């Protein structure tokens, strides 16, 4: 099993969307993963943003029960892979997480940040959800390769 932690700023938009989308992709592709999300500046027990919930609902994914949580040393230590939404978030975590932290796009073989829809309209959230989904398809392929023994990046 590979333990993946998705990290954004407030754990209300991008990281919970990424975690929920990855959960669906993992089920659809029979990947053995444990998925969590957290935020660098998140509060405990908040909800996902309304438009994040709506955008994922349109994809058939339920985000209504998400509760925000801040990143902790314990979450970092129990994660095999930490995927941030931005290069800045990656740089903040690198001193604590070491070489196990990547941006979401970087881990999937791309580059750049996942756009932040916070405060935006539903269309911005839809675009971000699509951007996350596209990156996660590549991430899922990499994880499948690891789990099938086709990569040297397997920590589990």
């Amino acid at each position: 099993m590979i333990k993946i932690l998705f990290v954004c700023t407030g754990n209300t938009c991008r990281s919970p969307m990424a975690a929920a989308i990855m959960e669906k992709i993992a089920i659809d592709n029979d990947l053995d993963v444990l998925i969590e999300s957290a935020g660098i500046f998140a509060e405990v027990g908040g909800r996902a943003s309304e438009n994040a919930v709506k955008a994922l609902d349109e994809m058939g994914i339920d985000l209504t029960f998400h509760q925000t949580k801040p990143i902790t040393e314990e979450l970092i230590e129990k994660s095999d892979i930490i995927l941030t939404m931005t290069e800045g978030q990656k740089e903040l975590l690198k001193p604590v997480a070491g070489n196990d932290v990547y941006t979401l796009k970087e881990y999937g073989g791309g580059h750049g940040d996942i756009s932040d829809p916070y405060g935006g309209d539903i269309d911005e959230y839809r675009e971000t959800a699509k951007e996350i989904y596209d990156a996660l398809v590549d991430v899922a392929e990499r994880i499948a390769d690891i789990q099938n023994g086709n990569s040297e990046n397997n920590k589990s």
Side-chain angles (χ1 to χ4, degrees):
M1 176 178 297
I2 297 175
K3 298 173 192 103
I4 305 168
L5 175 63
F6 292 97
V7 178
C8 68
T9 305
N11 196 222
T12 61
C13 305
R14 293 173 291 177
S15 61
M17 288 195 299
I21 293 168
M22 186 66 199
E23 193 75 48
K24 182 175 182 355
I25 291 172
I27 290 167
D28 292 347
N29 293 282
D30 198 30
L31 299 176
D32 187 17
V33 293
L34 177 66
I35 300 165
E36 293 197 61
S37 72
I40 292 172
F41 298 110
E43 296 180 10
V44 174
R47 308 190 91 180
S49 72
E50 184 178 331
N51 282 337
V53 172
K54 287 180 186 175
L56 288 199
D57 185 57
E58 293 172 2
M59 298 172 79
I61 301 169
D62 185 3
L63 195 58
T64 57
F65 297 106
H66 171 73
Q67 292 197 334
T68 60
K69 65 182 164 202
I71 191 156
T72 63
E73 201 170 304
E74 180 185 348
L75 278 173
I76 291 170
E77 287 174 5
K78 72 178 190 177
S79 300
D80 296 314
I81 304 165
I82 300 168
L83 301 177
T84 65
M85 301 300 121
T86 69
E87 186 69 32
Q89 293 159 353
K90 172 186 159 183
E91 293 306 315
L92 275 173
L93 295 180
K94 207 156 184 59
V96 203
N99 293 328
D100 299 328
V101 62
Y102 309 86
T103 67
L104 175 56
K105 287 186 177 180
E106 172 188 25
Y107 195 78
H111 62 278
D113 292 345
I114 298 292
S115 57
D116 188 355
Y118 183 76
D121 63 21
I122 185 65
D123 288 333
E124 290 178 65
Y125 278 82
R126 286 180 186 126
E127 288 172 23
T128 299
K130 171 87 169 87
E131 186 181 5
I132 290 168
Y133 177 84
D134 290 346
L136 286 173
V137 168
D138 296 331
V139 167
E141 286 179 21
R142 183 170 178 184
I143 289 171
D145 284 346
I146 290 169
Q147 292 186 335
N148 293 325
N150 300 330
S151 175
E152 297 174 10
N153 295 332
N154 189 0
K155 280 186 60 177
S156 55

